[in-house]
Structure formats: structure tokens, C-alpha cells
Short mmCIF file of all heavy atoms in Angstrom, two decimals:
data_model
loop_
_atom_site.label_atom_id
_atom_site.label_comp_id
_atom_site.label_asym_id
_atom_site.label_seq_id
_atom_site.Cartn_x
_atom_site.Cartn_y
_atom_site.Cartn_z
N LYS A 17 79.62 103.05 80.33
CA LYS A 17 79.67 104.19 79.40
C LYS A 17 80.44 103.82 78.14
O LYS A 17 80.02 104.16 77.03
CB LYS A 17 80.35 105.39 80.06
CG LYS A 17 79.51 106.11 81.08
CD LYS A 17 80.32 107.28 81.65
CE LYS A 17 79.65 107.91 82.84
NZ LYS A 17 80.47 108.98 83.44
N THR A 18 81.57 103.14 78.30
CA THR A 18 82.40 102.81 77.13
C THR A 18 81.69 101.85 76.19
O THR A 18 82.00 101.81 75.00
CB THR A 18 83.76 102.20 77.53
OG1 THR A 18 83.58 100.89 78.07
CG2 THR A 18 84.51 103.09 78.51
N LYS A 19 80.74 101.07 76.71
CA LYS A 19 80.03 100.09 75.90
C LYS A 19 78.65 100.57 75.43
O LYS A 19 77.94 99.84 74.73
CB LYS A 19 79.87 98.78 76.68
CG LYS A 19 81.18 98.08 76.96
CD LYS A 19 81.85 97.67 75.66
CE LYS A 19 83.14 96.94 75.88
NZ LYS A 19 83.72 96.47 74.62
N GLY A 20 78.26 101.77 75.84
CA GLY A 20 76.95 102.28 75.47
C GLY A 20 75.81 101.55 76.16
O GLY A 20 74.69 101.53 75.66
N ALA A 21 76.11 100.95 77.29
CA ALA A 21 75.11 100.20 78.06
C ALA A 21 74.46 101.11 79.09
O ALA A 21 75.13 101.94 79.70
CB ALA A 21 75.76 99.00 78.75
N ASN A 22 73.16 100.91 79.30
CA ASN A 22 72.49 101.70 80.32
C ASN A 22 71.81 100.83 81.38
O ASN A 22 71.07 101.32 82.21
CB ASN A 22 71.49 102.68 79.70
CG ASN A 22 70.42 101.99 78.89
OD1 ASN A 22 70.48 100.78 78.67
ND2 ASN A 22 69.44 102.74 78.46
N VAL A 23 72.09 99.52 81.34
CA VAL A 23 71.52 98.61 82.34
C VAL A 23 72.58 97.62 82.81
O VAL A 23 73.32 97.06 82.00
CB VAL A 23 70.31 97.83 81.77
CG1 VAL A 23 69.77 96.83 82.79
CG2 VAL A 23 69.21 98.77 81.32
N ILE A 24 72.60 97.44 84.11
CA ILE A 24 73.41 96.39 84.74
C ILE A 24 72.43 95.32 85.18
O ILE A 24 71.41 95.62 85.80
CB ILE A 24 74.18 96.92 85.98
CG1 ILE A 24 75.10 98.08 85.61
CG2 ILE A 24 74.93 95.80 86.68
CD1 ILE A 24 76.17 97.75 84.63
N VAL A 25 72.75 94.06 84.88
CA VAL A 25 71.91 92.94 85.31
C VAL A 25 72.62 92.25 86.46
O VAL A 25 73.81 91.94 86.38
CB VAL A 25 71.70 91.93 84.15
CG1 VAL A 25 70.99 90.68 84.65
CG2 VAL A 25 70.93 92.58 83.02
N LYS A 26 71.88 92.03 87.54
CA LYS A 26 72.43 91.31 88.69
C LYS A 26 71.46 90.21 89.11
O LYS A 26 70.26 90.43 89.19
CB LYS A 26 72.63 92.28 89.88
CG LYS A 26 73.64 93.38 89.63
CD LYS A 26 75.04 92.88 89.33
CE LYS A 26 75.68 92.32 90.58
NZ LYS A 26 77.11 92.15 90.51
N GLY A 27 72.01 89.05 89.37
CA GLY A 27 71.23 87.94 89.89
C GLY A 27 71.23 87.98 91.41
O GLY A 27 72.26 88.29 92.02
N LEU A 28 70.11 87.67 92.00
CA LEU A 28 69.99 87.67 93.47
C LEU A 28 69.58 86.28 93.94
O LEU A 28 68.57 85.75 93.48
CB LEU A 28 68.94 88.68 93.93
CG LEU A 28 69.17 90.14 93.54
CD1 LEU A 28 67.99 90.99 94.00
CD2 LEU A 28 70.46 90.67 94.12
N ARG A 29 70.36 85.71 94.85
CA ARG A 29 70.02 84.39 95.40
C ARG A 29 69.26 84.50 96.72
O ARG A 29 68.32 83.77 96.95
CB ARG A 29 71.29 83.57 95.62
CG ARG A 29 71.97 83.16 94.33
CD ARG A 29 73.25 82.42 94.60
NE ARG A 29 74.17 83.37 95.23
CZ ARG A 29 75.23 83.04 95.91
NH1 ARG A 29 75.56 81.79 96.09
NH2 ARG A 29 76.01 83.95 96.44
N VAL A 30 69.72 85.37 97.57
CA VAL A 30 69.12 85.51 98.92
C VAL A 30 68.97 87.00 99.24
O VAL A 30 69.54 87.86 98.56
CB VAL A 30 70.00 84.82 100.00
CG1 VAL A 30 69.99 83.30 99.81
CG2 VAL A 30 71.43 85.34 99.98
N ILE A 31 68.23 87.31 100.28
CA ILE A 31 67.92 88.70 100.62
C ILE A 31 69.19 89.50 100.94
O ILE A 31 69.28 90.68 100.63
CB ILE A 31 66.89 88.79 101.78
CG1 ILE A 31 66.32 90.22 101.88
CG2 ILE A 31 67.50 88.38 103.10
CD1 ILE A 31 65.45 90.60 100.74
N SER A 32 70.21 88.87 101.50
CA SER A 32 71.45 89.59 101.80
C SER A 32 72.13 90.05 100.52
O SER A 32 72.82 91.07 100.51
CB SER A 32 72.40 88.74 102.65
OG SER A 32 72.72 87.54 101.98
N ASP A 33 71.95 89.34 99.41
CA ASP A 33 72.46 89.79 98.11
C ASP A 33 71.82 91.13 97.75
O ASP A 33 72.50 92.02 97.23
CB ASP A 33 72.13 88.79 96.99
CG ASP A 33 72.98 87.54 97.00
OD1 ASP A 33 73.96 87.48 97.77
OD2 ASP A 33 72.65 86.63 96.22
N TYR A 34 70.52 91.27 98.01
CA TYR A 34 69.81 92.50 97.65
C TYR A 34 70.40 93.71 98.36
O TYR A 34 70.63 94.75 97.74
CB TYR A 34 68.32 92.38 97.97
CG TYR A 34 67.59 93.67 97.70
CD1 TYR A 34 67.27 94.05 96.39
CD2 TYR A 34 67.24 94.53 98.73
CE1 TYR A 34 66.63 95.25 96.12
CE2 TYR A 34 66.60 95.73 98.47
CZ TYR A 34 66.30 96.08 97.17
OH TYR A 34 65.67 97.28 96.92
N GLU A 35 70.68 93.59 99.64
CA GLU A 35 71.21 94.72 100.39
C GLU A 35 72.54 95.20 99.81
O GLU A 35 72.73 96.39 99.59
CB GLU A 35 71.37 94.34 101.86
CG GLU A 35 70.05 94.11 102.57
CD GLU A 35 70.22 93.59 103.99
OE1 GLU A 35 71.37 93.52 104.49
OE2 GLU A 35 69.20 93.26 104.61
N ARG A 36 73.43 94.26 99.54
CA ARG A 36 74.74 94.59 98.99
C ARG A 36 74.62 95.15 97.57
O ARG A 36 75.22 96.16 97.23
CB ARG A 36 75.63 93.34 99.02
CG ARG A 36 77.03 93.54 98.50
CD ARG A 36 77.90 92.29 98.67
NE ARG A 36 77.21 91.03 98.59
CZ ARG A 36 76.90 90.38 97.45
NH1 ARG A 36 77.24 90.91 96.29
NH2 ARG A 36 76.28 89.23 97.47
N GLU A 37 73.82 94.49 96.76
CA GLU A 37 73.67 94.89 95.36
C GLU A 37 72.93 96.22 95.22
O GLU A 37 73.22 97.00 94.31
CB GLU A 37 72.98 93.80 94.54
CG GLU A 37 73.79 92.53 94.42
CD GLU A 37 75.12 92.69 93.70
OE1 GLU A 37 75.35 93.73 93.04
OE2 GLU A 37 75.95 91.77 93.79
N CYS A 38 72.01 96.49 96.09
CA CYS A 38 71.29 97.77 96.06
C CYS A 38 72.26 98.91 96.35
O CYS A 38 72.23 99.95 95.67
CB CYS A 38 70.15 97.75 97.08
SG CYS A 38 68.99 99.11 96.86
N GLN A 39 73.13 98.72 97.31
CA GLN A 39 74.14 99.72 97.62
C GLN A 39 75.04 99.97 96.41
O GLN A 39 75.33 101.12 96.05
CB GLN A 39 74.97 99.26 98.82
CG GLN A 39 75.99 100.25 99.28
CD GLN A 39 76.77 99.74 100.48
OE1 GLN A 39 76.90 98.54 100.71
NE2 GLN A 39 77.31 100.66 101.25
N MET A 40 75.46 98.90 95.73
CA MET A 40 76.29 99.03 94.53
C MET A 40 75.54 99.74 93.41
O MET A 40 76.11 100.57 92.71
CB MET A 40 76.77 97.65 94.06
CG MET A 40 77.76 96.98 94.98
SD MET A 40 79.28 97.93 95.16
CE MET A 40 79.89 97.91 93.50
N ALA A 41 74.26 99.40 93.25
CA ALA A 41 73.45 100.03 92.20
C ALA A 41 73.35 101.54 92.42
O ALA A 41 73.44 102.32 91.46
CB ALA A 41 72.05 99.41 92.17
#
């Protein structure tokens, strides 16, 4: 919000990254 950004970019290496990052998203 402070930066006026509306997108977070996340890199995914393996499927377990997706599960954790999806929860954070």
C-alpha cells in the first residue's frame, strides 16, 4: 500500500513452494 503496488511477484521452485506461497497470497 505504501508503495502503490498492487502485485506481489513470487518465484516457485517446487510444488511445496506453491502451497506455502498460495497461503501467503
Side-chain angles (χ1 to χ4, degrees):
K17 285 180 190 176
T18 70
K19 295 297 182 176
N22 60 352
V23 177
I24 301 299
V25 173
K26 297 299 288 196
L28 301 176
R29 291 176 295 161
V30 293
I31 195 69
S32 59
D33 285 351
Y34 176 76
E35 292 174 6
R36 181 175 31 84
E37 294 298 345
C38 193
Q39 183 179 25
M40 291 299 297

